[in-house]
């Protein structure tokens, strides 16, 4: 059991499982909320806990009975209202790590790498120590690695205000193994300035994946904050349909600049998609489904759908067409279902198991038609063809859902009636009772 005086380092606490008194897992710690006060050290008031459904909720430290290595024990009472940061609150992982502060001993500046909190006799948790890496300016050059120190919080100035240029390496290290959708939730909950700092620190591929999961307003703000060449590189790393959707929110002049900076082949696909209306099959489709010739072996086709960068919906079908095997293709033949390939000998060709009964849609087919086709054939993706029956692309069910759901669905709580107004208890069967 944790006791008065126990020192807990926040960066190490992130990711720790939270359990109720019965031993059932409630969620995982994602951050610690502190109040940085003008007088007295910062006071930790609660944990941001990610519960099933990717919802982040606030767990007051007054409801935490134990913080030990590898686990946090709560009283079992968890208010399932989505966490919303108040103006007076600071997130340790999201906002303090990588912050540049001044050391009051006169030795200069340092970067925050961790924060320690301790429980007082009153039961409150106070931030007592800051683990920093000193900036080393010897020789007139900033050295990459300086001396590390564990200093009392009273000897540090600058925790209450963000520095003009704050890094994001330590924060990203905490979320290195997170799925793109989960990291997008983290970014969305950060302040505007911090969100842009963190997004800029991501590599192009990772940022592209995260942008695809963010609300449109966040996407546009981040892309506009990037230098034009970097923004073009990120757009190239995105799926063409997602890149086209994002560009559709920008002024035409900026769109033209970005398309000019993109690789010609990548820009060509995006330009094609921009020509279609938003709520049509052409506006929804991707131009990069799994596309193979009929002579391809089942073994080779299975290797294609195992690609890590392929989403599950597009991996469910192989689209078969005559050469050329880039959209727009030669004549479209049909589709091969993943389950069917798993039941057949690997050396057989996919041309022998093509499903020709799936009726493709035209590029100008409205969203309702696309939805009905997906539902009728129980498909996760649907072929889109032109008048010559050449394959132009494929519409996946996730793209359809993005257009059917409300524009703010990423920010809306799961319950139709809104968040509960009183604490709820997580019970053993996984449900909740008031």
């Amino acid at each position: 059991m944790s006791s008065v005086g126990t020192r807990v380092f926040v960066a190490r606490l992130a990711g720790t499982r939270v359990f109720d008194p019965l031993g059932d897992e409630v969620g995982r710690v994602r951050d610690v909320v502190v109040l940085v006060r003008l007088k007295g050290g910062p006071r930790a008031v609660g944990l941001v806990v990610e519960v099933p459904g990717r919802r982040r909720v606030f767990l007051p430290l007054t409801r935490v009975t134990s913080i030990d290595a590898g686990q946090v024990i709560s009283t079992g009472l968890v208010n399932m209202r989505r966490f919303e940061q108040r103006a007076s609150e600071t997130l340790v992982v999201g906002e303090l790590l990588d912050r540049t502060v001044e050391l009051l001993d006169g030795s200069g500046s340092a970067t925050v790498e961790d924060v320690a909190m301790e429980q007082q006799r009153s039961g409150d948790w106070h931030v007592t120590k800051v683990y920093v890496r000193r900036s080393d300016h010897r020789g007139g050059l900033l050295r990459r690695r300086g001396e590390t120190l564990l200093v009392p919080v009273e000897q540090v100035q600058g925790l209450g205000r963000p520095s003009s240029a704050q890094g994001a390496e330590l924060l990203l290290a905490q979320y290195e193994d997170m799925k793109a959708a989960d990291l997008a939730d983290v970014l969305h909950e950060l302040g505007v300035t911090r969100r842009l700092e963190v997004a800029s620190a991501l590599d192009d591929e990772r940022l592209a994946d995260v942008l695809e999961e963010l609300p449109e307003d966040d996407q546009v703000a981040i892309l506009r904050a990037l230098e034009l060449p970097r923004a073009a590189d990120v757009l190239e790393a995105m799926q063409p349909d997602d890149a086209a959707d994002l560009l559709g929110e920008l002024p035409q002049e900026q769109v033209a600049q970005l398309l000019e900076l993109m690789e010609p082949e990548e820009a060509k696909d995006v330009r094609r998609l921009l020509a279609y209306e938003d709520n049509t099959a052409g506006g929804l489709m991707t131009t990069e489904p799994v596309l193979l010739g009929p002579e391809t072996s089942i073994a080779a086709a299975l290797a294609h759908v195992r690609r890590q960068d392929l989403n599950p919906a597009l991996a469910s079908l192989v689209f078969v067409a005559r050469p050329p095997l880039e959209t727009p293709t030669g004549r479209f033949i049909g589709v091969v279902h993943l389950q069917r390939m798993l039941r057949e000998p690997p050396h057989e060709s996919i041309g022998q198991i093509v499903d020709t009964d799936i009726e493709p849609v035209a590029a100008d087919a409205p969203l309702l038609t696309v939805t009905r086709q997906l539902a009728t054939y129980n498909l996760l993706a649907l072929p889109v063809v032109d008048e010559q029956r050449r394959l132009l692309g494929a519409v996946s069910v996730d793209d359809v859902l993005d257009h059917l759901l409300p524009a703010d669905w990423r920010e809306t709580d799961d319950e139709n009636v809104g968040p509960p107004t009183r604490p709820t208890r997580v019970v053993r069967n996984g449900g909740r009772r008031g």
Side-chain angles (χ1 to χ4, degrees), residues 101-110 132 134 149 151 155-157:
V101 294
E102 293 295 323
L103 301 178
L104 296 183
D105 62 2
S107 60
S109 60
V132 300
R134 193 194 302 275
L149 304 167
V151 297
Q155 297 299 312
V156 173
Q157 185 179 51

Side-chain angles (χ1 to χ4, degrees), residues 38-354:
L38 292 176
K39 293 184 178 181
R43 182 165 66 92
V45 294
L47 308 177
V48 179
V49 178
E50 184 177 291
V51 298
R54 286 167 44 192
R55 180 197 297 271
R56 285 178 171 79
V57 302
F58 180 73
L59 176 62
L61 280 167
T62 53
R63 293 184 187 154
V64 172
T65 60
S66 172
I67 300 179
D68 292 316
Q71 65 178 17
V72 172
I73 306 297
S74 74
T75 61
L77 290 172
V78 180
N79 190 321
M80 298 306 290
R81 184 189 300 274
R82 186 180 294 274
F83 169 70
E84 293 183 6
Q85 185 180 358
R86 297 173 179 172
S88 60
E89 296 172 340
T90 301
L91 298 177
V92 174
V93 176
E95 298 175 309
L96 290 188
L97 298 191
D98 293 300
R99 179 169 293 185
T100 300
V101 294
E102 293 295 323
L103 301 178
L104 296 183
D105 62 2
S107 60
S109 60
T111 302
V112 177
E113 295 203 347
D114 208 344
V115 168
M117 61 182 189
E118 297 180 24
Q119 191 173 25
Q120 311 300 304
R121 293 189 181 279
S122 63
D124 293 339
W125 287 81
H126 288 186
V127 172
T128 56
K129 302 283 185 180
V130 183
Y131 184 71
V132 300
R133 186 175 297 277
R134 193 194 302 275
S135 302
D136 191 346
H137 295 273
R138 287 177 296 178
L141 297 175
L142 179 63
R143 295 167 64 97
R144 294 184 63 184
R145 308 296 291 178
E147 176 190 5
T148 55
L149 304 167
L150 184 63
V151 297
V153 69
E154 297 83 6
Q155 297 299 312
V156 173
Q157 185 179 51
L159 289 178
R161 54 175 173 76
S163 59
S164 57
Q166 186 175 350
E169 292 79 7
L170 294 175
L171 182 146
L172 292 177
Q174 298 293 326
Y175 300 124
E176 185 177 3
D177 298 326
M178 242 185 196
K179 292 182 179 179
D182 296 331
L183 183 54
D185 282 346
V186 173
L187 258 66
H188 178 67
E189 291 170 4
L190 295 176
V192 175
T193 301
R194 189 66 176 137
R195 183 186 307 141
L196 297 178
E197 290 170 343
V198 175
S200 298
L202 294 167
D203 63 52
D204 292 347
E205 294 286 344
R206 182 72 160 154
L207 180 54
D209 291 341
V210 170
L211 280 178
E212 292 172 359
E213 304 294 340
L214 281 169
E216 286 181 355
D217 290 348
D218 290 348
Q219 290 180 336
V220 171
I222 290 172
L223 197 72
R224 282 179 168 170
L226 301 176
E227 297 288 339
L228 281 175
R230 172 93 198 276
D233 291 341
V234 171
L235 286 167
E236 288 176 9
M238 295 176 69
Q239 291 293 322
D241 53 327
D242 291 310
D245 288 343
L246 177 49
L247 286 174
E249 301 298 319
L250 299 177
Q252 285 300 316
E253 182 180 350
Q254 191 173 0
V255 172
Q257 290 176 314
L258 289 167
L259 288 172
E260 198 63 34
L261 289 170
M262 292 173 65
E263 291 293 329
E265 285 301 313
E266 302 287 348
K268 181 178 71 174
D269 286 341
V270 175
R271 282 193 173 96
R272 282 173 48 205
L273 293 172
L274 285 170
Y276 299 110
E277 294 293 329
D278 283 346
N279 290 325
T280 64
L284 296 169
M285 72 181 181
T286 177
T287 56
E288 297 179 350
V290 179
L291 182 55
L292 300 171
E295 71 287 347
T296 306
S297 69
I298 290 174
L302 287 172
H304 279 276
V305 299
R306 280 197 294 267
R307 281 176 14 220
Q308 189 174 358
D309 62 335
L310 200 63
N311 73 48
L314 291 177
S316 67
L317 288 177
V318 170
F319 296 84
V320 185
R322 300 293 180 189
L325 295 178
E326 291 183 358
T327 56
T329 67
R331 184 170 181 80
F332 173 66
I333 299 173
V335 301
V336 177
H337 303 273
L338 174 60
Q339 284 186 322
R340 179 67 189 275
M341 289 192 291
L342 294 173
R343 294 196 296 264
E344 301 294 334
H347 63 273
E348 296 287 350
S349 67
I350 60 174
Q352 298 180 28
I353 57 172
V354 171

Side-chain angles (χ1 to χ4, degrees), residues 371-428:
T371 307
R372 283 176 173 166
Q373 288 287 85
L374 287 168
T376 299
Y377 295 108
N378 295 318
L379 295 173
L380 295 178
L382 189 67
V384 181
V385 298
D386 64 11
E387 295 177 352
Q388 288 76 45
R389 202 178 168 81
R390 297 180 302 173
L391 187 70
L392 300 175
V395 179
S396 60
V397 68
D398 53 313
D399 289 323
V400 171
L401 286 173
D402 275 346
H403 282 71
L404 289 177
L405 289 168
D408 62 346
W409 68 267
R410 289 183 173 90
E411 306 170 60
T412 305
D413 286 331
D414 297 334
E415 289 85 353
N416 293 328
V417 296
T421 58
R422 59 194 177 96
T424 57
R425 184 184 298 277
V426 179
V427 296
R428 294 191 67 85

